[in-house]
Amino acid sequence: MSGTGSDAGPTGADWAAAVDAVRQVPADGRVLLICHVNPDGDALGSMLGFGLGLRRLGVRRLQATFPGPPEVPEPFHGLPGLDLLVPASEAYPDPDLVVCFDAASASRLGDLVDRLATAGTALVLDHHASNTRFGGIHLVDPAAAATSVVVEGLLDRLGVPLDAGIAECLYVALTTDTGSFRFEATTPAVHEMAARLLATGIRPGDISRRIFDHRPFGAVRLFGEVLGRARLEPSAAGGRGLVWTYATLDDLARHGQRPYVLEALIDSVRCTAEADVSCVVKQVAAEEWAVSLRSKGAVDVSRVAVALGGGGHRFAAGFTGRGTADEVVERIRGQLDDAVIGGGDQEDQRRVSVFPR
């Protein structure tokens, strides 16, 4: 069950079904939490925060996992609840309840997608407008700034009080997906949630330094090299402009860096004044690339991502591309004109939103 329409949030019936699904897990039942491949702060923070909440409810047989290598990006090494994590290969094969976090489509679950069929109940928590409503019960709220907003709502309905561990996980999730409260999804409700989390005694300065202001020197050198090959295409996207760059596996190896360091690169690219759309193409295999797209307001990049097999939000989206980096970018160019948001000239469009969602 789900709300009506792709932009509708959860209904009262959806919330009730989700609460029942959790409460009906047997005392010795197995619960498996899954977030998307290459987890970011919202995916990991939401999953671990919810896991800690389930512990408070007395759930004993509980695992958290994600597809791909069982490596947590260094900025998230201090998150509470990391002891819940198991490699995907060790995840319960047929849990009583599976809960998916921050995944817009089943494909984002990788090799763990089969748990949707083998689980007794499948619950999906997400905030992407492009969510395909996979699984059985859906708490999908496109108006939420982060999946952690949905998680807090469910924990509240389950009667789980916030403690410092849960709060730190949800705060990391909230700050990463709002860009430290800079993006347009930052509403009064977002700040009210942040206040509730901070009231548990967590230290926002320490958390922010660990998440946003901690980078190996090798990553700084890597960023310099990759930014040095950035290309500006002012005529792209109907004249709104495109700026893009790419990073290869050889780049990572040469500077001794792990792939996760590239997740922050889009922030350095998207500040380009002459382009509404920014793009970073990151190699993950011989002819496979993880693509990050951002818009300042003139282009709906989720339309581009969905057309190319991915998903996301209006002003922040991504997909997996195949071929060479130039071929991937050419496909993006081919979709941009159709994704321009109607009305206004180029300068007016750029005033719609200074920061992506």
Side-chain angles (χ1 to χ4, degrees):
M1 58 185 70
S2 69
T4 58
S6 61
D7 291 330
T11 65
D14 294 331
W15 287 110
V19 169
D20 287 345
V22 174
R23 293 205 177 279
Q24 290 174 8
V25 173
D28 62 346
R30 293 164 298 172
V31 178
L32 179 64
L33 312 180
I34 308 174
C35 68
H36 62 69
V37 65
N38 299 322
D40 56 12
D42 191 24
L44 272 175
S46 294
M47 179 172 69
L48 296 179
F50 190 70
L52 292 173
L54 292 182
R55 272 186 173 169
R56 295 202 64 168
L57 287 175
V59 176
R60 298 188 301 273
R61 303 180 70 186
L62 175 63
Q63 294 179 338
T65 191
F66 51 85
E71 300 174 357
V72 174
E74 186 175 343
F76 307 125
H77 281 184
L79 276 177
L82 287 176
D83 60 297
L84 293 170
L85 289 176
V86 300
S89 60
E90 298 177 13
Y92 297 135
D94 53 352
D96 295 276
L97 172 66
V98 63
V99 188
C100 305
F101 299 85
D102 205 41
S105 66
S107 63
R108 296 284 281 160
L109 304 181
D111 293 341
L112 291 161
V113 69
D114 64 342
R115 301 316 196 273
L116 296 174
T118 60
T121 304
L123 170 60
V124 175
L125 278 62
D126 189 29
H127 72 129
H128 294 95
S130 60
N131 189 283
T132 61
R133 276 22 182 214
F134 66 95
I137 301 170
H138 311 117
L139 295 181
V140 179
D141 187 359
T147 296
S148 59
V149 175
V150 182
V151 169
E152 193 210 18
L154 182 54
L155 289 175
D156 180 62
R157 288 167 172 83
L158 287 166
V160 178
L162 293 173
D163 59 25
I166 295 171
E168 180 168 342
C169 290
L170 299 187
Y171 187 81
V172 166
L174 190 64
T175 56
T176 51
D177 255 31
T178 60
S180 294
F181 308 106
R182 293 174 298 153
F183 298 165
E184 67 166 16
T186 305
T187 62
V190 166
H191 284 295
E192 289 165 2
M193 176 176 167
R196 291 192 294 274
L197 300 176
L198 292 173
T200 65
I202 61 175
R203 300 172 62 88
D206 291 346
I207 294 170
S208 294
R209 279 188 291 273
R210 190 171 72 241
I211 301 301
F212 300 108
D213 300 327
H214 182 79
R215 187 170 299 155
F217 182 65
V220 175
R221 297 291 299 271
L222 171 63
F223 276 34
E225 181 177 336
V226 175
L227 290 172
R229 65 171 72 119
R231 305 179 193 177
L232 175 65
E233 301 181 14
S235 63
R240 274 70 177 181
L242 165 69
V243 59
W244 65 277
T245 191
Y246 66 93
T248 68
L249 294 174
D250 285 343
D251 294 331
L252 288 166
R254 188 165 53 256
H255 293 280
Q257 297 303 303
R258 309 289 287 277
Y260 80 83
V261 303
L262 294 173
E263 294 307 308
L265 185 60
I266 190 68
D267 293 322
S268 299
V269 177
R270 68 178 177 82
C271 66
T272 303
E274 296 89 347
D276 182 85
V277 179
S278 53
C279 171
V280 175
V281 181
K282 298 158 287 188
Q283 189 177 30
V284 295
E287 289 196 340
E288 183 177 335
W289 308 79
V291 181
S292 296
L293 294 167
R294 299 291 185 269
S295 167
K296 294 175 183 173
V299 177
D300 181 351
V301 291
S302 70
R303 292 182 59 182
V304 177
V306 168
L308 297 175
H313 306 286
R314 194 175 185 181
F315 304 135
F319 67 97
T320 298
R322 289 176 172 80
T324 67
D326 285 334
E327 289 169 343
V328 171
V329 175
E330 182 59 33
R331 295 186 197 109
I332 294 170
R333 287 191 199 95
Q335 298 292 331
L336 284 175
D337 286 353
D338 290 338
V340 173
I341 298 170
D345 59 21
Q346 178 177 350
E347 197 60 36
D348 288 339
Q349 291 285 354
R350 285 179 178 168
R351 293 192 186 110
V352 172
S353 172
V354 176
F355 295 108
R357 189 168 165 180

